[in-house]
Amino acid sequence: MMQTMIRLAEFVFNNALLLSVILVAAPFFMFHMKQLFQELLLNKKLDIKKRVMRNLERIPFHYSRWFLQKRIVVIILPFVVVAAIFLAATWNPIHFEHHLASIESEEDIRKVHEDFHERFYDFHILEAESQATDASIMRSLRMKNPKLHTGIDTVAHNGEYIFSMASRGIEITAVDGNDLDYHGYLDYEDTKKDELYHQHGIFVDKDRLVVLGSATEDISPVGATSEAYCEEEVSTVVRIYDINDDISLEDTYRMSGKVTDAAYENGVLSLVTKQYLPFGYEAFRLGDSLPWIARGDDTPLIQSYDSIHYIERVEPNSFISFHAIDLERESHDFRTLLMDYQSEVRIMDNAFYIAANHYRFHKITDGMRLSDPVESIDTSLTKFRVDTFGMVRHQVTLSLPGALAFPNGLQVADGRILLLTRNEDNHTLFKLEKSLTHATLEHELPSHIYVEDLFYHDGIAYLSCDTENAHETRLYAITTHNIELLSIHEGILLTEAMIPRTGTPLFITLEKLDKESLAFHAHHYDSRENRVVTMDTLAVSVGDYKFNIIDRFPVEKEIHMDSDFRIVIPLYAFTTPSTQDSRYPSVLFIHLDEEGQLHPPESLNMRGVLHGRNPYSYRFVEMDDYVYHVTPRGITVSTEVEGEKKIVSEIVFP
Amino acid sequence: MFKLKAPKESRTRLRNKLKIIDSKEYEFVVTTDKEYVEDDKINIVFHEEDAQRVNRILNLIAQGEDVYIVGHSPRGMKRIESRRIHYFVVEEEEVSAVVRDGRFRVRMKLYEIEEMLKNKHFIRVSKYAIVNINKIDYIKPAFNSKLVLHMRNGDQVEVNRRYYKTFKKTLKL
């Protein structure tokens, strides 16, 4: 009952304008209807009266033209108005324009936001509800780790030094063959007081080390007790160090918003920052939230309103800025979109690809709020490219049928773009060239899959997904010749490889068979038979290698194929019987022969020196004949001695 | 005024011939069968083949006795048959009788005219007007519980709120 009352109140609240129109029109309608019936009745009675009186001059009662033309029109006018609204609702003449629309002022942004959200019925009466939603989104955005695309990782080297990310700085180790020399720890001395700094990725560009991070500054007013949106301001920080002689800070860039995607290609650092706009807070001031960038101690350059654009019908709830920092030219440029914070962004060949849901509303929502105002959802795909002068330019925006499949519905690889959309009946996989001028419908997939990840390699798309019936992640391949999902195997995709002799694409999956055994599978797609063929399976008893439990599967960047076609796989394991000190990381080297067959692995235990760092991460750096295994705790060097993998030196960070 | 009484099979036929609409409060019983005669009413018993003649008689009865009103115009004095008058109206403290194509001054008070014509289908509609029901072409409700009577000569006469109920009651059969 209470719920019904609240819903009723919300309906009234959300549709106040329409209801007031109806309330005003209804008395007029009632009045005119009453007049009409009275008129008809009186004239009918008059007619009968005359006939009773045997009126010889009697003219039979009839509806005069005047009556029909004027009276009825006036009476049914309210009906006509309401009918017109509903007729309009069934006919949707919206033509989407996929170009970028311009914004001139703060007023424009608020109008765009209101135009979008006022269609939704779930506009809460209580400000607290929308504030809670805003706070939750902002918190999740702050906590989310950015996606590091091409060129950026947690470990980098220039042949002389290996730089690896630690908790608050960079560990620097000088390397020369198997000689390791701890060079020092790079701390961020320029970090402000009351500022919490998180580093996300590093890379080396010739004589420069570039560190990407984000800073969260506590800006809550003194004495503030409640959690308010303005308590924390997140900014993205890029530090550029000269590593030619001594390591010194050369330049810094600081920009508003949390970095969500980053890539370093062709001398240009491409960054995407997102700033959620908490319109639910009364105290929120849009003018104070305009994107900005500051270089060194320069005055911040604030994005002007007329440099901000938006894509029509995409939820306008945040500023997404696309930055390009040209390290050679020492220049910077950025563009900003008013956009959905849930947009998927990928960076490839110095271009940003942004996919977001593109809503098509019922026409009736132009004047009325509905709990479900959405008639259909398309996916908008936009491309910004960094031109030869380092300027960020909008290139194209297009729309494809179906809502964007979250997460990872957008994938870029090999100069192509894969876009996975979904609707009620199926998923559709589109393949686009990077110019976005042409989209081809590749496959229609069942609707009951839940895509966890999407890979693309040599014309084959791999989907890691759940199905309704089996709540286990399975890997599927889709080819240009096949419209069905080709089930590869249970387990996860470890890495992509190739058969050394033929160069045929190969992919390796890892399956956990039971507590004490693993299986590695090598697959390839046979285009003649149009199916995925498992070429070889290698079962590994973890007991043989003193492994018992694998805490987690390795992530993509931790898997490598070295120059000798050995797949290097880090595993975090512990010996039996399990004791506090028996946990250690280990590395498997699985050899792939000329025909693509898997051979029993060699293993290297990290001798226990790399314990105790959480989260554990592993990177593999290959220089000359040496392999450097880098973890947050230290570096282990291995090489082949008399045909056998051996650890030749190691260093533990202080 | 009239009530037609006849066997079921001939009733509709006779009603069409005689153009009779039954009244609840009737004075005359019109019938082709003696068995339908009512003692306390005036009974008209006839053969069906005399229907046309009976029709004329019924018209005469309905019209009743002619009442004449003396009207004055610049051209002189004239006796006007009451059924030709559309309405009487008080203008500049003088009573006028409005006919199809003109008006005459009547040297009578409005209440006197009302009294004189109360059985001739005239009805008081306001302090200033009496209308002939037979000359009303159309009734149009207006705001504020008023009616506007569109007369056959094109004039409009307003039914005052005070006389609204009486007017509606008069229209009832």
Side-chain angles (χ1 to χ4, degrees), chain B residues 29-60:
Chain B
V29 174
V30 182
T31 180
T32 52
D33 195 332
K34 285 178 185 170
E35 286 186 12
Y36 292 117
V37 168
E38 292 182 33
D39 292 340
D40 56 340
K41 306 287 180 196
I42 301 166
N43 295 282
I44 301 171
V45 185
F46 67 103
H47 287 292
E48 196 172 336
E49 55 264 34
D50 294 325
Q52 213 168 352
R53 291 168 64 196
V54 172
N55 192 24
R56 283 199 293 272
I57 292 164
L58 295 179
N59 285 342
L60 286 171

mmCIF file of all heavy atoms in Angstrom, chain B residues 29-60:
data_model
loop_
_atom_site.group_PDB
_atom_site.id
_atom_site.type_symbol
_atom_site.label_atom_id
_atom_site.label_comp_id
_atom_site.label_asym_id
_atom_site.label_seq_id
_atom_site.Cartn_x
_atom_site.Cartn_y
_atom_site.Cartn_z
ATOM 1 N N VAL B 29 -59.286 11.164 -25.371
ATOM 2 C CA VAL B 29 -58.928 9.803 -25.758
ATOM 3 C C VAL B 29 -59.383 9.630 -27.203
ATOM 4 O O VAL B 29 -60.537 9.869 -27.525
ATOM 5 C CB VAL B 29 -59.600 8.756 -24.856
ATOM 6 C CG1 VAL B 29 -59.340 7.338 -25.359
ATOM 7 C CG2 VAL B 29 -59.117 8.906 -23.426
ATOM 8 N N VAL B 30 -58.427 9.263 -28.037
ATOM 9 C CA VAL B 30 -58.741 9.067 -29.461
ATOM 10 C C VAL B 30 -58.660 7.570 -29.721
ATOM 11 O O VAL B 30 -57.605 6.967 -29.482
ATOM 12 C CB VAL B 30 -57.736 9.827 -30.354
ATOM 13 C CG1 VAL B 30 -58.102 9.661 -31.829
ATOM 14 C CG2 VAL B 30 -57.700 11.303 -29.984
ATOM 15 N N THR B 31 -59.787 6.965 -30.188
ATOM 16 C CA THR B 31 -59.788 5.509 -30.333
ATOM 17 C C THR B 31 -60.715 5.042 -31.469
ATOM 18 O O THR B 31 -61.637 5.764 -31.857
ATOM 19 C CB THR B 31 -60.195 4.824 -29.001
ATOM 20 O OG1 THR B 31 -60.179 3.430 -29.170
ATOM 21 C CG2 THR B 31 -61.553 5.279 -28.528
ATOM 22 N N THR B 32 -60.404 3.862 -31.948
ATOM 23 C CA THR B 32 -61.281 3.246 -32.969
ATOM 24 C C THR B 32 -62.150 2.169 -32.320
ATOM 25 O O THR B 32 -62.953 1.546 -32.988
ATOM 26 C CB THR B 32 -60.420 2.597 -34.067
ATOM 27 O OG1 THR B 32 -59.467 1.743 -33.463
ATOM 28 C CG2 THR B 32 -59.749 3.643 -34.924
ATOM 29 N N ASP B 33 -61.968 1.953 -31.029
ATOM 30 C CA ASP B 33 -62.691 0.873 -30.352
ATOM 31 C C ASP B 33 -63.374 1.417 -29.098
ATOM 32 O O ASP B 33 -62.717 2.049 -28.250
ATOM 33 C CB ASP B 33 -61.690 -0.223 -29.959
ATOM 34 C CG ASP B 33 -62.375 -1.516 -29.599
ATOM 35 O OD1 ASP B 33 -63.534 -1.442 -29.133
ATOM 36 O OD2 ASP B 33 -61.741 -2.571 -29.757
ATOM 37 N N LYS B 34 -64.677 1.166 -29.001
ATOM 38 C CA LYS B 34 -65.440 1.697 -27.872
ATOM 39 C C LYS B 34 -64.924 1.169 -26.537
ATOM 40 O O LYS B 34 -65.112 1.780 -25.489
ATOM 41 C CB LYS B 34 -66.921 1.314 -28.021
ATOM 42 C CG LYS B 34 -67.639 2.131 -29.075
ATOM 43 C CD LYS B 34 -69.083 1.645 -29.193
ATOM 44 C CE LYS B 34 -69.787 2.362 -30.341
ATOM 45 N NZ LYS B 34 -71.077 1.757 -30.618
ATOM 46 N N GLU B 35 -64.348 0.022 -26.583
ATOM 47 C CA GLU B 35 -63.884 -0.598 -25.334
ATOM 48 C C GLU B 35 -62.806 0.244 -24.639
ATOM 49 O O GLU B 35 -62.586 0.111 -23.449
ATOM 50 C CB GLU B 35 -63.301 -1.988 -25.617
ATOM 51 C CG GLU B 35 -64.351 -3.011 -25.918
ATOM 52 C CD GLU B 35 -63.750 -4.407 -26.052
ATOM 53 O OE1 GLU B 35 -62.570 -4.585 -25.691
ATOM 54 O OE2 GLU B 35 -64.481 -5.274 -26.524
ATOM 55 N N TYR B 36 -62.106 1.090 -25.389
ATOM 56 C CA TYR B 36 -61.037 1.916 -24.814
ATOM 57 C C TYR B 36 -61.552 3.237 -24.246
ATOM 58 O O TYR B 36 -60.764 4.047 -23.754
ATOM 59 C CB TYR B 36 -59.986 2.219 -25.887
ATOM 60 C CG TYR B 36 -59.204 0.980 -26.313
ATOM 61 C CD1 TYR B 36 -59.278 0.515 -27.609
ATOM 62 C CD2 TYR B 36 -58.405 0.310 -25.384
ATOM 63 C CE1 TYR B 36 -58.569 -0.602 -27.998
ATOM 64 C CE2 TYR B 36 -57.701 -0.810 -25.779
ATOM 65 C CZ TYR B 36 -57.781 -1.275 -27.071
ATOM 66 O OH TYR B 36 -57.084 -2.376 -27.436
ATOM 67 N N VAL B 37 -62.820 3.473 -24.353
ATOM 68 C CA VAL B 37 -63.383 4.748 -23.886
ATOM 69 C C VAL B 37 -63.154 4.893 -22.383
ATOM 70 O O VAL B 37 -63.280 3.939 -21.613
ATOM 71 C CB VAL B 37 -64.891 4.808 -24.211
ATOM 72 C CG1 VAL B 37 -65.583 5.954 -23.492
ATOM 73 C CG2 VAL B 37 -65.077 4.962 -25.718
ATOM 74 N N GLU B 38 -62.761 6.125 -21.987
ATOM 75 C CA GLU B 38 -62.569 6.414 -20.557
ATOM 76 C C GLU B 38 -63.632 7.412 -20.147
ATOM 77 O O GLU B 38 -63.793 8.461 -20.774
ATOM 78 C CB GLU B 38 -61.173 6.984 -20.314
ATOM 79 C CG GLU B 38 -60.083 5.957 -20.557
ATOM 80 C CD GLU B 38 -58.691 6.531 -20.271
ATOM 81 O OE1 GLU B 38 -58.570 7.380 -19.373
ATOM 82 O OE2 GLU B 38 -57.737 6.128 -20.960
ATOM 83 N N ASP B 39 -64.268 7.111 -19.064
ATOM 84 C CA ASP B 39 -65.434 7.899 -18.652
ATOM 85 C C ASP B 39 -65.089 9.346 -18.291
ATOM 86 O O ASP B 39 -65.855 10.260 -18.568
ATOM 87 C CB ASP B 39 -66.130 7.232 -17.448
ATOM 88 C CG ASP B 39 -66.765 5.909 -17.884
ATOM 89 O OD1 ASP B 39 -66.988 5.753 -19.121
ATOM 90 O OD2 ASP B 39 -66.989 5.048 -17.018
ATOM 91 N N ASP B 40 -63.925 9.534 -17.647
ATOM 92 C CA ASP B 40 -63.607 10.889 -17.166
ATOM 93 C C ASP B 40 -62.854 11.729 -18.203
ATOM 94 O O ASP B 40 -62.330 12.770 -17.898
ATOM 95 C CB ASP B 40 -62.772 10.811 -15.890
ATOM 96 C CG ASP B 40 -61.499 9.999 -16.101
ATOM 97 O OD1 ASP B 40 -61.462 9.198 -17.073
ATOM 98 O OD2 ASP B 40 -60.533 10.164 -15.326
ATOM 99 N N LYS B 41 -62.818 11.270 -19.436
ATOM 100 C CA LYS B 41 -62.128 12.025 -20.492
ATOM 101 C C LYS B 41 -63.104 12.301 -21.631
ATOM 102 O O LYS B 41 -64.193 11.714 -21.694
ATOM 103 C CB LYS B 41 -60.950 11.215 -21.068
ATOM 104 C CG LYS B 41 -59.949 10.723 -20.056
ATOM 105 C CD LYS B 41 -59.088 11.855 -19.511
ATOM 106 C CE LYS B 41 -58.092 11.277 -18.495
ATOM 107 N NZ LYS B 41 -57.494 12.307 -17.680
ATOM 108 N N ILE B 42 -62.641 13.183 -22.502
ATOM 109 C CA ILE B 42 -63.414 13.413 -23.719
ATOM 110 C C ILE B 42 -62.952 12.376 -24.723
ATOM 111 O O ILE B 42 -61.749 12.270 -24.997
ATOM 112 C CB ILE B 42 -63.165 14.838 -24.276
ATOM 113 C CG1 ILE B 42 -63.551 15.882 -23.220
ATOM 114 C CG2 ILE B 42 -63.917 15.056 -25.579
ATOM 115 C CD1 ILE B 42 -63.042 17.275 -23.510
ATOM 116 N N ASN B 43 -63.873 11.563 -25.217
ATOM 117 C CA ASN B 43 -63.501 10.445 -26.085
ATOM 118 C C ASN B 43 -63.894 10.736 -27.536
ATOM 119 O O ASN B 43 -64.994 11.202 -27.802
ATOM 120 C CB ASN B 43 -64.206 9.165 -25.632
ATOM 121 C CG ASN B 43 -63.721 8.763 -24.239
ATOM 122 O OD1 ASN B 43 -62.648 8.216 -24.058
ATOM 123 N ND2 ASN B 43 -64.520 9.113 -23.221
ATOM 124 N N ILE B 44 -62.952 10.465 -28.417
ATOM 125 C CA ILE B 44 -63.238 10.613 -29.850
ATOM 126 C C ILE B 44 -63.132 9.208 -30.437
ATOM 127 O O ILE B 44 -62.044 8.649 -30.527
ATOM 128 C CB ILE B 44 -62.256 11.568 -30.535
ATOM 129 C CG1 ILE B 44 -62.327 12.960 -29.879
ATOM 130 C CG2 ILE B 44 -62.523 11.665 -32.032
ATOM 131 C CD1 ILE B 44 -61.244 13.924 -30.320
ATOM 132 N N VAL B 45 -64.319 8.645 -30.783
ATOM 133 C CA VAL B 45 -64.335 7.286 -31.339
ATOM 134 C C VAL B 45 -64.620 7.408 -32.842
ATOM 135 O O VAL B 45 -65.524 8.104 -33.235
ATOM 136 C CB VAL B 45 -65.399 6.427 -30.642
ATOM 137 C CG1 VAL B 45 -65.333 4.978 -31.120
ATOM 138 C CG2 VAL B 45 -65.235 6.493 -29.126
ATOM 139 N N PHE B 46 -63.806 6.735 -33.647
ATOM 140 C CA PHE B 46 -63.953 6.924 -35.092
ATOM 141 C C PHE B 46 -63.586 5.640 -35.835
ATOM 142 O O PHE B 46 -62.961 4.737 -35.281
ATOM 143 C CB PHE B 46 -63.078 8.097 -35.563
ATOM 144 C CG PHE B 46 -61.611 7.812 -35.446
ATOM 145 C CD1 PHE B 46 -60.855 7.493 -36.558
ATOM 146 C CD2 PHE B 46 -60.983 7.855 -34.188
ATOM 147 C CE1 PHE B 46 -59.507 7.218 -36.447
ATOM 148 C CE2 PHE B 46 -59.639 7.579 -34.086
ATOM 149 C CZ PHE B 46 -58.897 7.264 -35.196
ATOM 150 N N HIS B 47 -63.984 5.596 -37.097
ATOM 151 C CA HIS B 47 -63.579 4.493 -37.967
ATOM 152 C C HIS B 47 -62.259 4.871 -38.612
ATOM 153 O O HIS B 47 -62.026 6.045 -38.893
ATOM 154 C CB HIS B 47 -64.633 4.248 -39.054
ATOM 155 C CG HIS B 47 -65.872 3.595 -38.492
ATOM 156 N ND1 HIS B 47 -65.899 2.315 -38.009
ATOM 157 C CD2 HIS B 47 -67.121 4.105 -38.339
ATOM 158 C CE1 HIS B 47 -67.123 2.038 -37.562
ATOM 159 N NE2 HIS B 47 -67.896 3.118 -37.743
ATOM 160 N N GLU B 48 -61.483 3.928 -38.892
ATOM 161 C CA GLU B 48 -60.135 4.231 -39.397
ATOM 162 C C GLU B 48 -60.164 4.986 -40.717
ATOM 163 O O GLU B 48 -59.297 5.822 -40.979
ATOM 164 C CB GLU B 48 -59.335 2.925 -39.548
ATOM 165 C CG GLU B 48 -57.867 3.214 -39.689
ATOM 166 C CD GLU B 48 -56.994 1.981 -39.645
ATOM 167 O OE1 GLU B 48 -57.423 0.951 -39.070
ATOM 168 O OE2 GLU B 48 -55.874 2.048 -40.196
ATOM 169 N N GLU B 49 -61.211 4.696 -41.529
ATOM 170 C CA GLU B 49 -61.264 5.378 -42.828
ATOM 171 C C GLU B 49 -61.533 6.883 -42.678
ATOM 172 O O GLU B 49 -61.298 7.654 -43.612
ATOM 173 C CB GLU B 49 -62.321 4.751 -43.774
ATOM 174 C CG GLU B 49 -63.703 4.669 -43.218
ATOM 175 C CD GLU B 49 -63.990 3.285 -42.613
ATOM 176 O OE1 GLU B 49 -63.050 2.657 -42.060
ATOM 177 O OE2 GLU B 49 -65.121 2.854 -42.668
ATOM 178 N N ASP B 50 -61.940 7.310 -41.458
ATOM 179 C CA ASP B 50 -62.162 8.747 -41.239
ATOM 180 C C ASP B 50 -60.939 9.437 -40.613
ATOM 181 O O ASP B 50 -61.034 10.568 -40.114
ATOM 182 C CB ASP B 50 -63.364 8.961 -40.301
ATOM 183 C CG ASP B 50 -64.675 8.492 -40.943
ATOM 184 O OD1 ASP B 50 -64.774 8.653 -42.179
ATOM 185 O OD2 ASP B 50 -65.537 7.972 -40.220
ATOM 186 N N ALA B 51 -59.846 8.783 -40.664
ATOM 187 C CA ALA B 51 -58.653 9.288 -39.970
ATOM 188 C C ALA B 51 -58.253 10.694 -40.419
ATOM 189 O O ALA B 51 -57.870 11.532 -39.599
ATOM 190 C CB ALA B 51 -57.495 8.318 -40.196
ATOM 191 N N GLN B 52 -58.367 10.959 -41.707
ATOM 192 C CA GLN B 52 -57.952 12.266 -42.220
ATOM 193 C C GLN B 52 -58.802 13.399 -41.637
ATOM 194 O O GLN B 52 -58.275 14.443 -41.241
ATOM 195 C CB GLN B 52 -58.072 12.263 -43.735
ATOM 196 C CG GLN B 52 -57.005 13.125 -44.373
ATOM 197 C CD GLN B 52 -56.907 12.924 -45.878
ATOM 198 O OE1 GLN B 52 -57.544 12.029 -46.444
ATOM 199 N NE2 GLN B 52 -56.128 13.765 -46.512
ATOM 200 N N ARG B 53 -60.114 13.107 -41.572
ATOM 201 C CA ARG B 53 -61.031 14.122 -41.015
ATOM 202 C C ARG B 53 -60.754 14.310 -39.523
ATOM 203 O O ARG B 53 -60.753 15.416 -39.005
ATOM 204 C CB ARG B 53 -62.478 13.708 -41.244
ATOM 205 C CG ARG B 53 -62.860 13.780 -42.728
ATOM 206 C CD ARG B 53 -64.172 13.104 -42.986
ATOM 207 N NE ARG B 53 -65.272 13.763 -42.325
ATOM 208 C CZ ARG B 53 -66.485 13.213 -42.128
ATOM 209 N NH1 ARG B 53 -66.701 11.969 -42.536
ATOM 210 N NH2 ARG B 53 -67.440 13.861 -41.535
ATOM 211 N N VAL B 54 -60.531 13.209 -38.855
ATOM 212 C CA VAL B 54 -60.249 13.284 -37.413
ATOM 213 C C VAL B 54 -58.954 14.080 -37.181
ATOM 214 O O VAL B 54 -58.871 14.870 -36.238
ATOM 215 C CB VAL B 54 -60.131 11.853 -36.807
ATOM 216 C CG1 VAL B 54 -59.653 11.901 -35.359
ATOM 217 C CG2 VAL B 54 -61.467 11.147 -36.883
ATOM 218 N N ASN B 55 -58.027 13.908 -38.076
ATOM 219 C CA ASN B 55 -56.762 14.637 -37.967
ATOM 220 C C ASN B 55 -57.015 16.142 -37.968
ATOM 221 O O ASN B 55 -56.439 16.883 -37.172
ATOM 222 C CB ASN B 55 -55.862 14.232 -39.140
ATOM 223 C CG ASN B 55 -54.420 14.710 -38.944
ATOM 224 O OD1 ASN B 55 -54.005 14.927 -37.812
ATOM 225 N ND2 ASN B 55 -53.690 14.879 -40.023
ATOM 226 N N ARG B 56 -57.856 16.573 -38.881
ATOM 227 C CA ARG B 56 -58.159 18.016 -38.965
ATOM 228 C C ARG B 56 -58.844 18.495 -37.684
ATOM 229 O O ARG B 56 -58.563 19.574 -37.172
ATOM 230 C CB ARG B 56 -59.053 18.306 -40.183
ATOM 231 C CG ARG B 56 -58.269 18.296 -41.509
ATOM 232 C CD ARG B 56 -59.037 19.011 -42.613
ATOM 233 N NE ARG B 56 -60.238 18.309 -42.985
ATOM 234 C CZ ARG B 56 -60.295 17.341 -43.911
ATOM 235 N NH1 ARG B 56 -59.205 16.984 -44.554
ATOM 236 N NH2 ARG B 56 -61.454 16.766 -44.199
ATOM 237 N N ILE B 57 -59.748 17.650 -37.159
ATOM 238 C CA ILE B 57 -60.461 18.002 -35.917
ATOM 239 C C ILE B 57 -59.460 18.159 -34.759
ATOM 240 O O ILE B 57 -59.539 19.096 -33.976
ATOM 241 C CB ILE B 57 -61.543 16.927 -35.574
ATOM 242 C CG1 ILE B 57 -62.656 16.978 -36.623
ATOM 243 C CG2 ILE B 57 -62.091 17.108 -34.168
ATOM 244 C CD1 ILE B 57 -63.567 15.750 -36.621
ATOM 245 N N LEU B 58 -58.526 17.200 -34.726
ATOM 246 C CA LEU B 58 -57.524 17.253 -33.645
ATOM 247 C C LEU B 58 -56.695 18.536 -33.740
ATOM 248 O O LEU B 58 -56.367 19.144 -32.724
ATOM 249 C CB LEU B 58 -56.605 16.030 -33.703
ATOM 250 C CG LEU B 58 -57.251 14.669 -33.446
ATOM 251 C CD1 LEU B 58 -56.214 13.552 -33.567
ATOM 252 C CD2 LEU B 58 -57.915 14.623 -32.081
ATOM 253 N N ASN B 59 -56.381 18.948 -34.992
ATOM 254 C CA ASN B 59 -55.633 20.197 -35.168
ATOM 255 C C ASN B 59 -56.414 21.382 -34.624
ATOM 256 O O ASN B 59 -55.852 22.248 -33.960
ATOM 257 C CB ASN B 59 -55.330 20.435 -36.646
ATOM 258 C CG ASN B 59 -54.207 19.519 -37.147
ATOM 259 O OD1 ASN B 59 -53.466 18.972 -36.329
ATOM 260 N ND2 ASN B 59 -54.117 19.345 -38.445
ATOM 261 N N LEU B 60 -57.670 21.395 -34.925
ATOM 262 C CA LEU B 60 -58.528 22.498 -34.451
ATOM 263 C C LEU B 60 -58.581 22.516 -32.933
ATOM 264 O O LEU B 60 -58.502 23.571 -32.302
ATOM 265 C CB LEU B 60 -59.940 22.363 -35.037
ATOM 266 C CG LEU B 60 -60.066 22.724 -36.532
ATOM 267 C CD1 LEU B 60 -61.460 22.331 -37.065
ATOM 268 C CD2 LEU B 60 -59.835 24.214 -36.738
#
